[in-house]
Amino acid sequence: MQKPEPTAFPVPLPPSGSATEEDVDRSDPVYRHWLSEAVAKVHADANRSADTHLLSIPLPASWDVDLYLKDESTHPTGSLKHRLARSLFLYALCNGWIRPDRPVIEASSGSTAVSEAYFARLIGVPFVAVMARGTVQAKVELIEFQGGRCHLVDDPSEVYETAARLAEETGGHYMDQFTYAERATDWRGNNNIAESIFRQMTRERYPVPTWIVATAGTGGTSATLARYVRYALAETGICVADPENSAFFPSWRDSDPSVTTSMPSRIEGIGRQRVEPSFVPGAIDRMMRVPDAASIASVRVLERLLGRRAGASTGTGLWAAFRIVSEMRERGERGSVVGMLCDPGERYVEKYYSDTWLAEQGIEIGPYVRRLEEFLGGALLS
């Protein structure tokens, strides 16, 4: 393609020739045309997508506390991470980090990789997901269905270094969701998840949530929620529920960003062995550590409430939301609590919905199921 002639200026340019004057032009019209088309395709995907539903969870009306789940499983790639992946791709494209025919590489346990594979295929670049070998096969198949390739590692703590190395070796771009999640999203608005929740709550009896409960994988969602409620002058508290074997909770509790853990989280998509750069502890009002058995019990009970299965990360947040509802009842408070339905449970049939897997892991969900049944009452679960 012939480079276009420079645009004429309305007044003469000053003569060049100064010994210190330099002019380096790295513009490439072919690349800029590709970039414009890539950004337009990502925008078009957002324009085609309706907003996700806000589901009302049945609770006794006499409690005067309402509970909702923001159903992020209805995105085109089936999870909360679709929003993140779109933001990360726009951020990287506009920064000039993604180039034609060069791979995008990500360290991901699954759902982010599924969504990023979708956007990579949308703009026509290769995608490689670096993930732990123990990730459920269903997620591997979803990534491959979206056109991505999976690079499995035995030690989950090595995914970051491996992804960076592969990007360097191939001349590709390491997306690094764990660093850029909190800055790629426009937290002031632009239909981010917080703005969407507040808009959908406007006609509810308690339209301003007392609490919003999130979970942390990168920390980007909790950062977006916390920043938005402060920007919107809302008195909503932000609670982050964290699973076992995650560094986020002890780091937040002890104000120690150097905390690490020796074991990876068993709840896919959330919990990390280190504190990720996108985790913004100062913006969070409360944290809860949730036992893995309670997380899984919660999604088993949720299936009876809604007739739908959800991933265990949903259960981690739901257990925390139920605790907050119980505390509000005890104090005689009225209000609303919003949690997240992060992804569908069909991805985890071989894990969280398998009694065999639970037995192998030594996870006993029975006591937590009974606590939830007692809390909710038989009528709601019949």
Side-chain angles (χ1 to χ4, degrees):
M1 179 181 295
Q2 184 177 358
K3 189 170 182 178
E5 292 295 324
T7 303
F9 285 82
V11 294
L13 287 172
S16 61
S18 166
T20 59
E21 184 174 347
E22 295 185 16
D23 184 357
V24 178
D25 184 356
R26 290 198 175 99
S27 64
D28 178 350
V30 175
Y31 163 69
R32 289 300 295 270
H33 177 73
W34 176 87
L35 176 62
S36 295
E37 286 195 335
V39 172
K41 288 174 182 177
V42 178
H43 282 315
D45 172 83
N47 201 47
R48 287 192 300 269
S49 300
D51 201 357
T52 60
H53 301 294
L54 190 65
L55 305 178
S56 177
I57 305 303
L59 297 177
S62 61
W63 288 8
D64 282 326
V65 181
D66 297 330
L67 176 61
Y68 305 85
L69 290 181
K70 180 70 166 160
D71 184 8
E72 295 291 281
S73 71
T74 57
H75 283 295
T77 53
S79 82
L80 173 72
K81 300 300 185 179
H82 193 85
R83 292 182 192 266
L84 172 60
R86 182 191 294 131
S87 295
L88 287 168
F89 265 80
L90 286 173
Y91 190 72
L93 283 165
C94 294
N95 281 336
W97 295 342
I98 298 176
R99 295 281 171 161
D101 302 320
R102 298 296 180 90
V104 169
I105 298 167
E106 182 63 282
S108 171
S109 62
S111 289
T112 301
V114 174
S115 299
E116 289 186 1
Y118 169 91
F119 283 104
R121 184 169 65 174
L122 183 70
I123 66 171
V125 297
F127 178 77
V128 179
V130 180
M131 54 204 304
R133 196 172 298 278
T135 303
V136 293
Q137 182 62 27
K139 280 191 176 179
V140 173
E141 293 171 357
L142 284 170
I143 293 165
E144 292 175 345
F145 175 79
Q146 296 293 350
R149 182 171 66 85
C150 297
H151 183 98
L152 303 179
V153 297
D154 294 318
D155 184 349
S157 66
E158 294 179 355
V159 295
Y160 316 95
E161 180 181 345
T162 303
R165 176 177 55 79
L166 288 176
E168 183 176 356
E169 290 174 355
T170 61
H173 171 57
Y174 172 29
M175 190 68 88
D176 194 3
Q177 58 167 322
F178 302 104
T179 295
Y180 296 107
E182 57 88 10
R183 66 192 73 171
T185 299
D186 185 356
W187 52 266
R188 295 174 185 85
N190 195 21
N191 195 34
N192 67 39
I193 190 169
E195 183 182 46
S196 176
I197 289 170
F198 275 79
R199 184 176 62 251
Q200 290 176 315
M201 287 289 293
T202 54
R203 295 185 181 273
E204 303 302 309
R205 64 171 177 169
Y206 304 117
V208 178
T210 306
W211 286 93
I212 296 177
V213 180
T215 51
T218 63
T221 298
S222 60
T224 297
L225 291 165
R227 289 164 169 167
Y228 182 85
V229 298
R230 287 155 176 76
Y231 183 72
L233 306 181
E235 296 185 1
T236 301
I238 301 299
C239 175
V240 173
D242 207 33
E244 296 176 25
N245 302 322
S246 175
F248 290 132
F249 176 81
S251 170
W252 186 84
R253 179 194 60 203
D254 301 333
S255 301
D256 181 3
S258 68
V259 170
T260 59
T261 62
S262 59
M263 296 287 291
S265 169
R266 292 183 292 191
I267 307 300
E268 285 196 26
I270 62 172
R272 290 292 181 269
Q273 290 179 258
R274 68 177 194 181
V275 180
E276 303 295 354
S278 286
F279 185 63
V280 184
I284 295 166
D285 300 296
R286 180 178 183 179
M287 286 198 74
M288 291 188 200
R289 169 168 279 172
V290 177
D292 292 347
S295 299
I296 299 167
S298 295
V299 290
R300 295 283 189 99
V301 170
L302 181 65
E303 183 179 11
R304 294 158 64 185
L305 287 170
L306 295 182
R308 294 178 52 186
R309 287 180 170 178
S313 60
T314 297
T316 305
L318 184 58
W319 179 268
F322 281 142
R323 273 192 56 186
I324 290 173
V325 169
S326 178
E327 293 166 359
M328 291 175 66
R329 284 188 62 207
E330 291 175 0
R331 293 192 295 264
E333 295 180 10
R334 300 177 178 182
S336 57
V337 179
V338 179
M340 309 289 162
L341 200 163
C342 304
D343 62 358
E346 285 70 24
R347 298 179 177 183
Y348 308 98
V349 171
E350 63 195 75
K351 291 185 73 171
Y352 309 125
Y353 291 90
S354 167
D355 292 337
T356 301
W357 183 85
L358 293 180
E360 292 172 350
Q361 297 293 315
I363 298 175
E364 175 55 57
I365 66 172
Y368 294 98
V369 170
R370 289 189 287 273
R371 284 176 62 182
L372 288 172
E373 289 174 337
E374 181 180 351
F375 170 67
L376 293 168
L380 290 176
L381 296 172
S382 60

